[in-house]
Amino acid sequence: MSAHSSTSSAAAERVAGVLAQYESADALLAAAEKVRDAGYQRWDLHSPHPIHGAEEAMGQRMTVLPWIVLLLGITGAGLGLLLQWWTNSINYPFLISGKPLFSLPAFIPIVFECTILFAAFATFFGMWGLNQLPQFFHPVFASERFRRATSDGFFISVEAEDPKFQQQRTTELLSSAGAQLVETLMVPATLPGLPQGIKVAGVVLTILGLLPPAVILAARGSTGTSPRVHPIQDMDFQPKMKAQKANPLFADGREYRAPVAGTVARGELQADDHFERGVVGEDWAKTFPKELTIDQASLERGRQQFNIYCATCHGRLGVGDGLIARRATELEDPAWVPPLSLHAPTVVVQPVGQLFNSITKGVRKMPPYGSQISTADRWAILLYVRALQRSQNATIDDVPENQRAALNP
């Protein structure tokens, strides 16, 4: 190398800082305390493993990242709540089963998801921003010795941008702190940029990422006579049978098969008319079948099933003021037929067999529940209905003698 070229190379470089190597983690911490006390601000420790007490030795304060995450999380929760309030209560009010338009319990899942989403973004991008990432070059990478920082080397680097940095004084400070070696870091005046391969890959990935939305926009803004492209064939053309379509598997083309004549499915003989149909002889049954045990457990089971299937229209007291009934009345729907009160005389006088038949096959606008509620549960519901009816027409004889005094304060 000629003298001219050597002089040009030195002129093209600048001092980026100093790097000091120490023998052990304890020596590194002791040196860090001296650098901290000297008032340096742009410096760092490098070790092959975490060192307890490094933050205190460096005088580092707690990062502001948790506060950023908290702030963005609260922002996400507020935006999620605002979005649902605006869409459900203002822009497109949609009343479902009489529920309030602004229902905080119903909004909680979206609020929770928005909170997590914003907090995750704050954590990810906040960490990158606070660490000034991405960095594709750092002055310590110019040192061959620094490669030992990942195996057994302990280093302190002080950047030249530090307000207190003076190459000679900083080198003396690090040496007096026990450094085995202090190296001046020289870097080119112009830092190297992104590798050419990363630039090309970024451009290619950006173009590829823009292709799907471009294709979608083109498809939504145009019309054509050809079917849309189906990237996932199995989801669109999977083998299936469609309702009301001929089934080629059977000669008659019917998809739903009729029961075989003269046969009964195992366990479904249903020979007991009293239990299965509420009929005794030619009349409606006036008593509960022997299969139903009349006790507190059956009554509780009936109450549970009544509240699930019946209370939505008949109300929990059976007076016909259920949630659906009240909403239909508010809408003044001319096709709505209000449910009967279960305490009406025309209902109270009906035998339990007739009421069982109404639940099983439906009556008036009430749909049949025979396929949804088991036979035993239908009888349990009737047991609870009878208890409701009796509760509204009770006499003093229905009250135990030892409790009657409480009714006369």
Side-chain angles (χ1 to χ4, degrees):
M1 179 180 294
S2 65
H4 176 72
S5 61
S6 177
T7 304
S8 301
S9 175
E13 293 183 340
R14 62 181 176 85
V15 177
V18 293
L19 180 69
Q21 184 176 3
Y22 294 87
E23 182 180 8
S24 63
D26 293 335
L28 185 69
L29 290 180
E33 293 176 353
K34 291 187 177 181
V35 176
R36 176 199 63 194
D37 296 339
Y40 285 87
Q41 299 176 8
R42 297 182 65 86
W43 62 287
D44 205 351
L45 301 185
H46 310 275
S47 70
H49 55 77
I51 302 176
H52 292 291
E55 294 82 2
E56 292 78 5
M58 295 182 67
Q60 284 187 339
R61 294 176 297 180
M62 183 178 176
T63 176
V64 298
L65 184 60
W67 292 104
I68 296 176
V69 174
L70 175 63
L71 179 62
L72 268 294
I74 295 174
T75 302
L79 289 178
L81 188 63
L82 181 64
L83 171 67
Q84 295 177 92
W85 167 76
W86 170 256
T87 55
N88 290 3
S89 305
I90 304 300
N91 189 37
Y92 193 78
F94 191 63
L95 188 61
I96 301 176
S97 300
K99 298 177 181 176
L101 295 177
F102 183 82
S103 176
L104 187 59
F107 293 169
I108 288 299
I110 302 299
V111 171
F112 174 77
E113 295 292 345
C114 289
T115 302
I116 298 301
L117 179 64
F118 276 66
F121 281 148
T123 303
F124 182 78
F125 292 108
M127 184 275 295
W128 279 64
L130 293 176
N131 287 286
Q132 301 178 0
L133 296 176
Q135 289 187 16
F136 299 98
F137 180 80
H138 193 277
V140 295
F141 296 157
S143 171
E144 293 289 335
R145 187 180 300 275
F146 185 72
R147 296 180 180 179
R148 302 183 68 86
T150 59
S151 56
D152 58 355
F154 300 91
F155 298 91
I156 290 180
S157 63
V158 182
E159 299 180 11
E161 286 78 8
D162 191 290
K164 295 184 69 65
F165 181 83
Q166 294 181 7
Q167 183 177 353
Q168 183 62 33
R169 296 185 59 183
T170 304
T171 301
E172 293 175 356
L173 173 66
L174 296 175
S175 298
S176 65
Q180 295 176 313
L181 185 141
V182 180
E183 179 181 357
T184 300
L185 300 174
M186 304 297 294
V187 297
T190 303
L191 296 178
L194 284 175
Q196 189 65 22
I198 294 180
K199 292 181 179 179
V200 174
V203 172
V204 172
L205 291 177
T206 302
I207 294 175
L208 293 177
L210 292 176
L211 285 179
V215 172
I216 293 174
L217 288 175
R220 292 182 63 86
S222 62
T223 58
T225 58
S226 301
R228 300 289 187 187
V229 176
H230 298 273
I232 304 176
Q233 296 287 315
D234 291 345
M235 296 296 292
D236 296 329
F237 304 105
Q238 57 184 305
K240 58 182 178 294
M241 295 304 301
K242 293 186 177 180
Q244 309 302 323
K245 297 295 182 181
N247 189 335
L249 294 177
F250 301 101
D252 58 1
R254 297 174 60 180
E255 181 176 355
Y256 296 101
R257 310 310 303 166
V260 179
T263 62
V264 176
R266 298 182 63 178
E268 297 183 7
L269 181 58
Q270 300 180 355
D272 188 343
D273 284 341
H274 189 178
F275 181 66
E276 299 291 347
R277 283 168 281 279
V279 174
V280 176
E282 299 294 332
D283 301 322
W284 295 118
K286 297 180 180 179
T287 60
F288 289 96
K290 63 180 183 303
E291 288 83 354
L292 178 69
T293 302
I294 301 179
D295 56 7
Q296 188 64 28
S298 297
L299 198 61
E300 287 297 327
R301 178 65 180 177
R303 182 183 64 83
Q304 179 199 55
Q305 296 296 300
F306 179 87
N307 289 336
I308 293 174
Y309 293 101
C310 312
T312 52
C313 287
H314 289 285
R316 295 215 168 195
L317 293 179
V319 296
D321 62 344
L323 196 61
I324 294 176
R326 281 184 287 167
R327 179 56 181 162
T329 303
E330 292 175 2
L331 295 176
E332 299 180 350
D333 186 353
W336 172 251
V337 177
L340 285 177
S341 169
L342 300 180
H343 308 286
T346 56
V347 178
V348 173
V349 298
Q350 291 184 22
V352 290
Q354 185 178 356
L355 295 174
F356 178 86
N357 183 72
S358 298
I359 297 176
T360 304
K361 298 182 179 179
V363 62
R364 303 166 72 221
K365 287 286 187 177
M366 182 178 126
Y369 286 92
S371 60
Q372 302 180 47
I373 310 174
S374 68
T375 304
D377 282 345
R378 275 175 271 159
W379 282 112
I381 289 175
L382 282 177
L383 183 64
Y384 181 68
V385 168
R386 284 305 194 207
L388 277 179
Q389 293 172 338
R390 189 167 181 177
S391 69
Q392 301 300 307
N393 300 280
T395 65
I396 192 62
D397 295 332
D398 296 319
V399 182
E401 292 184 2
N402 58 353
Q403 298 180 13
R404 293 177 184 177
L407 301 178
N408 298 313

